[in-house]
Amino acid sequence: AQRVTQPEKLLSVFKGAPVELKCNYSYSGSPELFWYVQYSRQRLQLLLRHISRESIKGFTADLNKGETSFHLKKPFAQEEDSAMYYCALKVGYQKVTFGTGTKLQVIP
Amino acid sequence: GVTQSPTHLIKTRGQQVTLRCSSQSGHNTVSWYQQALGQGPQFIFQYYREEENGRGNFPPRFSGLQFPNDSSELNVNALELDDSALYLCASSLLLAGAMITQYFGPGTRLTVL
């Protein structure tokens, strides 16, 4: 069965510092990986997906199949990045498994 | 956008509940998730063009419907205390299996007493 692990419940960084939110997955096939974000009092939204190889709001994520990781990175944290971040794994067309989330707190 | 109703709901154990979602116009897929406090969303099931095409580890008392008018329902029978959670619907456009866009609703908070 597939599983997504986000080892940190809370990550605190200073404004301007680099950010790395960790995500590890277990799945033997070729997965689709996503990052979702939920800002305070807002709904969950898709941030980025590995197949697009995109950078959204300065965030990037690279799929490392050897290490089964999909860490989310940003070189310089901003206060508006403070939010809850979820990593998710999609198998086939349907089943999506979310991690338990990491709360990012950017300290001014 | 994606809307859900009601916002909050209180039921007692053993009762039945229907939650509703209005999808983004033009989207062909709706997924439902259960999010317990402090946890990530858990996939319940997905409907593509009005047919269930994927299901998570939830018992049959969780069922759903998707209608042609961009609306959908999640029905839960024989409510249990552990069903207390935030229920999210997500509206997506899938093309050739790839998710093009996805939007979540604000959720319905269900409390079972």
Side-chain angles (χ1 to χ4, degrees), chain A residues 23 35 99:
Chain A
C23 172
W35 276 99

Side-chain angles (χ1 to χ4, degrees), chain A residues 9 32 34 36 38 43-46 49 51 84 86 90 92-101, chain B residues 2 33 35 38-41 43 46 53-57 88 94 96-97 99-100 102 104-106:
Chain A
K9 281 197 167 181
E32 262 191 274
F34 304 85
Y36 289 84
Q38 188 165 27
R43 58 186 71 185
L44 193 62
Q45 57 184 281
L46 179 63
R49 68 204 89 184
I51 58 172
M84 195 74 181
Y86 294 97
K90 183 164 167 275
Y93 288 166
Q94 315 99 2
K95 188 173 168 66
V96 180
T97 300
F98 278 79
T100 51
Chain B
V2 180
Y33 296 84
Q35 187 173 21
Q39 300 295 316
F43 176 73
Q46 175 174 291
N53 76 335
R55 191 174 187 95
N57 299 326
L88 299 169
L94 292 191
M99 186 171 67
I100 307 303
Q102 182 184 52
F104 278 82

Side-chain angles (χ1 to χ4, degrees), chain A residues 1-16:
Chain A
Q2 56 272 14
R3 189 167 61 239
V4 176
T5 303
Q6 294 180 251
E8 300 140 330
K9 281 197 167 181
L10 173 66
L11 181 66
S12 296
V13 300
F14 286 101
K15 178 182 170 182

Side-chain angles (χ1 to χ4, degrees), chain B residues 2-4 21-22 30-33 87-91 103-105:
Chain B
V2 180
T3 60
Q4 290 185 246
C21 173
S22 178
V30 65
S31 308
W32 286 89
Y33 296 84
Y87 288 85
L88 299 169
C89 81
S91 165
Y103 300 110
F104 278 82

